[in-house]
Amino acid sequence: MSIKIGILGYGNLGRGVEKAVNVCDDMELVGVFSRRDPANVKVDSNAPVYHVDSLPEMTDKIDVLIICGGSATDLPEMTPKYAKLFNVIDSFDTHARIPVHFANVDKAAKKAGKIGIISCGWDPGMFSLNRLYAHAVLPGGKDYTFWGKGVSQGHSDAIRRIEGVIDARQYTVPVPEALEKVRKGQNPELTTREKHTRVCYVVAEEGADKARIEKEIVTMPNYFADYDTSVNFISAEEMKANHSGLPHGGSVIYSGTTGSGDDLNKHVIEYSLNLDSNPEFTGSVLTAYARAAYRMNQSGDAGAKTVFDVAPALLSPLSGDEIRAHML
Amino acid sequence: MSIKIGILGYGNLGRGVEKAVNVCDDMELVGVFSRRDPANVKVDSNAPVYHVDSLPEMTDKIDVLIICGGSATDLPEMTPKYAKLFNVIDSFDTHARIPVHFANVDKAAKKAGKIGIISCGWDPGMFSLNRLYAHAVLPGGKDYTFWGKGVSQGHSDAIRRIEGVIDARQYTVPVPEALEKVRKGQNPELTTREKHTRVCYVVAEEGADKARIEKEIVTMPNYFADYDTSVNFISAEEMKANHSGLPHGGSVIYSGTTGSGDDLNKHVIEYSLNLDSNPEFTGSVLTAYARAAYRMNQSGDAGAKTVFDVAPALLSPLSGDEIRAHML
């Protein structure tokens, strides 16, 4: 029997989930749900497309609804709303608002007897898991998170809003010297500027004032002002040829100790990702956790969960005997 | 209220657990239990030492018994035996015998209403978790495990049994070219020899036949014959000065894909450990999972478990609110 999956929202992330669901033998993609007119949504697989308004009629046809919306306005409203009807899962990543989002989803999901997994993906998600495991095993150590080299869509969008910019791509790049110190267990104190640089590729309008565009980028508060930022003007052709992918990745590095005094021993734990496609990897993580959401609900559990609450075995399509034999 | 911990067996691993328990504010070390005469066991902390025979009288004083024995003969007998009396946890690492060991511990623990976590540490343990997470997120990929650079105690012991050898230390070292190919996602097929080399430091008796010792090492079946092995004869002083630690570590590297055809995207996931002390890190992992064993039992669960069955949140002394706020 397959786990019946619905996808709500069909941008880059929704497409990534679609690809992931379609390689899982124990899952069936029931449909893609969109706020757009379904006639105008072309999906990669042969899954049917429905308008989002038809979701309430499909509660008996969907085991888990994977919600692929934005954290700013979509998910705070959508995830609690649909947790009243389905097991749901999202990739909510606005860190400061996680407690409120968790509480809202928890209330709705508990009342409905459903599971709602929030903040799933790689950060928050796989990176969070590695912070937790490391802190639990070696209490009192220090964790560092480096992102990149990879495309930040938020920063790319910010550049595109500048007058005279046609297109832009921003790469977040860890500073090699900082990475090196952390990997050696030196526990450095690092400022924002010392951890990452920002590299921008910009297609400007014909005759645009490139000096002004560059200045607007490097001085932009929150996005660029606290970083060493480099700006490269390129042609639209070069943008398409060399910067059309959405690679990303990074590392969580934890440095801790055992013993004390002359017997102090250092230990460094590193988890790193090198991803050709950020949305496809994130979609794959959401899909694995959708399996867990279904199983947790089948075993009688309800309420909001995060990756911290999910036993790893629940993510695998294999049996307990199989995972112990092949992966332990 | 503290979780009351007992340690059974006081070798390198038992000492590592003792150090780990003593830095956990929510734990109390009730005692160290040994097959030796307690009068002859000097422990690092001020924990009392008991003879192993007094364990059955202490069922109401110990919440979790951490069993620090060898996988060859100790654990197959000890873990099921003490699972009848306590929540237990071990580091059983004889891979082929895990299914039988799991079944034996499961039977005893279920009957007693206790939890028995087996095969805990870093491999099996943290490495296993990373194999499972990666396979679940990106089905159909390939995992590689590299060990080292680190001391293999089994291989060091094997050299010490050769006539004319006073002391020996064997380092397992990953082959850099193999690591490089795997990190690039090239999915190479690697023989045993292509993955690791073995580097040996040997203190020989005065006048011993070094050529014969070297030949016996490099041709030893199972241990060395399938590897490129180098043998270095050193003095007892040099052994003590440069090779008295027990560092270890390694990497689990997983290479998987999303999409297909022209849209194929590669993803590489790496988890690596760089440990100054293998037994102290392993002891720290066992201690974190002892916390989980206690909590799982408190919530009414019983039977044999592995790291796959333990929700990560159960390992942390912090509350759900705290871990979501600080680590998600």
Side-chain angles (χ1 to χ4, degrees):
Chain A
M1 212 209 59
S2 290
I3 304 172
K4 291 168 283 179
I5 302 289
I7 296 173
L8 172 54
Y10 197 69
N12 286 330
L13 181 56
R15 276 195 176 80
V17 171
E18 179 185 29
K19 287 196 170 90
V21 170
N22 283 326
V23 296
C24 291
D25 295 335
D26 62 340
M27 294 188 178
E28 177 194 344
L29 182 54
V30 174
V32 169
F33 297 82
S34 174
R35 287 174 291 200
R36 292 176 274 163
D37 178 351
N40 297 330
V41 179
K42 292 276 165 279
V43 300
D44 292 339
S45 66
N46 53 7
V49 182
Y50 302 93
H51 191 269
V52 62
D53 289 348
S54 52
L55 268 172
E57 302 148 28
M58 296 184 69
T59 52
D60 59 338
K61 294 193 177 62
I62 294 170
D63 293 319
V64 187
L65 182 68
I66 303 180
I67 306 181
C68 302
S71 293
T73 55
D74 295 342
L75 299 177
E77 181 240 319
M78 283 178 172
T79 312
K81 176 177 174 180
Y82 292 106
K84 291 176 187 160
L85 302 174
F86 304 97
N87 296 308
V88 293
I89 176 163
D90 77 20
S91 61
F92 186 76
D93 66 357
T94 309
H95 196 270
R97 290 162 67 196
I98 285 175
V100 172
H101 188 57
F102 185 88
N104 291 342
V105 175
D106 195 49
K107 192 176 162 196
K110 280 210 175 110
K111 201 166 168 192
K114 300 293 184 185
I115 292 284
I117 301 180
I118 67 157
S119 300
C120 193
W122 59 274
D123 196 11
M126 305 312 293
F127 274 16
S128 321
L129 282 174
N130 279 280
R131 288 188 279 264
L132 178 73
Y133 277 119
H135 276 280
V137 167
L138 294 175
K142 197 164 159 60
D143 68 77
Y144 295 82
T145 303
F146 291 91
W147 294 276
K149 182 186 175 182
V151 173
S152 165
Q153 299 191 66
H155 288 78
S156 301
D157 290 342
I159 300 173
R160 286 192 204 99
R161 288 191 291 264
I162 293 173
E163 201 192 314
V165 171
I166 296 174
D167 197 4
R169 206 73 83 252
Q170 192 271 177
Y171 294 89
T172 306
V173 184
V175 174
E177 295 75 22
L179 264 175
E180 185 71 9
K181 281 181 189 165
V182 171
R183 283 192 178 126
K184 283 185 177 159
Q186 295 176 356
N187 280 6
E189 292 293 331
L190 297 168
T191 62
T192 298
R193 192 178 300 275
E194 286 167 337
K195 282 184 76 185
H196 296 94
T197 51
R198 298 197 176 278
V199 180
C200 312
Y201 294 89
V202 178
V203 181
E205 289 172 4
E206 183 86 33
D209 180 349
K210 291 181 180 172
R212 173 194 48 84
I213 291 173
E214 178 164 348
K215 194 178 171 201
E216 282 194 42
I217 294 172
V218 301
T219 59
M220 196 185 296
N222 302 319
Y223 285 89
F224 294 100
D226 296 335
Y227 297 85
D228 289 338
T229 302
S230 63
V231 179
N232 307 278
F233 289 94
I234 60 174
S235 67
E237 294 70 36
E238 194 180 336
M239 179 66 82
K240 196 176 172 208
N242 300 335
H243 305 285
S244 56
L246 292 169
H248 219 315
S251 300
V252 172
I253 308 177
Y254 186 87
S255 171
T257 58
T258 52
S260 58
D262 288 347
D263 285 331
L264 189 78
N265 284 305
K266 283 187 180 184
H267 310 284
V268 177
I269 305 171
E270 177 166 356
Y271 178 80
S272 65
L273 295 173
N274 189 347
L275 312 173
D276 272 1
S277 166
N278 180 357
E280 291 184 9
F281 186 79
T282 303
S284 297
V285 177
L286 284 167
T287 301
Y289 276 90
R291 180 180 292 117
Y294 172 73
R295 290 172 170 179
M296 292 169 93
N297 189 240
Q298 287 292 104
S299 71
D301 202 353
K305 309 287 173 185
T306 72
V307 291
F308 299 149
D309 304 304
V310 178
L314 295 173
L315 303 173
S316 173
L318 303 177
S319 71
D321 283 345
E322 287 171 315
I323 58 178
R324 284 189 294 274
H326 300 301
M327 296 180 201
L328 196 58
Chain B
M1 212 209 58
S2 291
I3 303 171
K4 291 169 282 178
I5 302 288
I7 296 173
L8 172 53
Y10 197 69
N12 286 329
L13 181 56
R15 277 197 175 79
V17 171
E18 179 185 28
K19 288 196 168 90
V21 170
N22 283 327
V23 295
C24 291
D25 295 336
D26 62 341
M27 293 187 179
E28 177 195 343
L29 182 54
V30 174
V32 170
F33 298 81
S34 173
R35 287 174 292 200
R36 292 176 274 164
D37 178 350
N40 296 331
V41 179
K42 293 277 164 279
V43 300
D44 292 339
S45 66
N46 53 7
V49 182
Y50 302 92
H51 191 268
V52 62
D53 289 348
S54 51
L55 269 173
E57 302 148 28
M58 296 184 70
T59 52
D60 60 338
K61 295 192 176 63
I62 294 171
D63 293 319
V64 186
L65 183 67
I66 304 181
I67 306 180
C68 303
S71 294
T73 55
D74 295 342
L75 298 177
E77 182 241 318
M78 284 178 171
T79 312
K81 177 177 173 180
Y82 292 107
K84 292 176 187 160
L85 302 173
F86 304 98
N87 296 308
V88 294
I89 176 162
D90 77 21
S91 61
F92 186 76
D93 67 358
T94 309
H95 196 270
R97 290 161 68 194
I98 285 176
V100 172
H101 188 57
F102 185 89
N104 291 342
V105 174
D106 194 49
K107 192 176 161 195
K110 279 207 176 113
K111 200 166 167 190
K114 300 292 183 185
I115 292 284
I117 300 180
I118 66 157
S119 301
C120 193
W122 59 274
D123 197 9
M126 304 312 293
F127 274 16
S128 321
L129 281 174
N130 280 280
R131 288 187 280 263
L132 179 73
Y133 277 120
H135 277 280
V137 168
L138 295 175
K142 198 165 158 62
D143 69 75
Y144 294 82
T145 302
F146 291 91
W147 295 275
K149 183 186 174 181
V151 173
S152 165
Q153 299 191 66
H155 288 78
S156 301
D157 290 343
I159 300 173
R160 284 191 206 100
R161 288 191 292 265
I162 293 173
E163 201 193 313
V165 171
I166 296 173
D167 197 5
R169 206 72 84 254
Q170 193 269 184
Y171 294 90
T172 306
V173 184
V175 175
E177 294 75 23
L179 262 175
E180 185 71 9
K181 280 181 190 165
V182 171
R183 282 191 179 128
K184 284 184 176 160
Q186 296 177 355
N187 280 7
E189 292 294 330
L190 297 168
T191 63
T192 298
R193 191 179 300 274
E194 287 168 336
K195 282 184 75 185
H196 296 95
T197 51
R198 299 199 175 277
V199 180
C200 311
Y201 294 89
V202 178
V203 181
E205 287 173 6
E206 182 88 31
D209 179 350
K210 290 180 180 173
R212 174 194 48 83
I213 291 172
E214 177 164 352
K215 194 178 170 199
E216 283 195 42
I217 295 172
V218 301
T219 59
M220 196 185 296
N222 302 317
Y223 286 89
F224 294 99
D226 297 335
Y227 298 85
D228 289 338
T229 302
S230 63
V231 179
N232 307 279
F233 290 93
I234 60 174
S235 67
E237 293 69 37
E238 195 180 336
M239 179 66 82
K240 196 177 171 207
N242 300 335
H243 305 284
S244 55
L246 292 170
H248 219 313
S251 299
V252 172
I253 308 177
Y254 186 87
S255 173
T257 59
T258 51
S260 59
D262 286 348
D263 286 331
L264 189 78
N265 283 305
K266 283 188 180 183
H267 310 285
V268 178
I269 305 171
E270 177 165 355
Y271 178 80
S272 64
L273 295 173
N274 188 348
L275 311 174
D276 271 1
S277 166
N278 180 358
E280 291 184 10
F281 186 79
T282 304
S284 297
V285 178
L286 284 167
T287 300
Y289 276 90
R291 179 180 293 117
Y294 172 73
R295 290 172 169 179
M296 291 170 93
N297 190 240
Q298 287 292 106
S299 70
D301 202 353
K305 309 286 175 188
T306 72
V307 292
F308 299 148
D309 304 304
V310 178
L314 296 173
L315 302 173
S316 172
L318 303 177
S319 71
D321 283 344
E322 287 171 315
I323 57 178
R324 283 190 295 274
H326 300 301
M327 295 178 201
L328 194 59

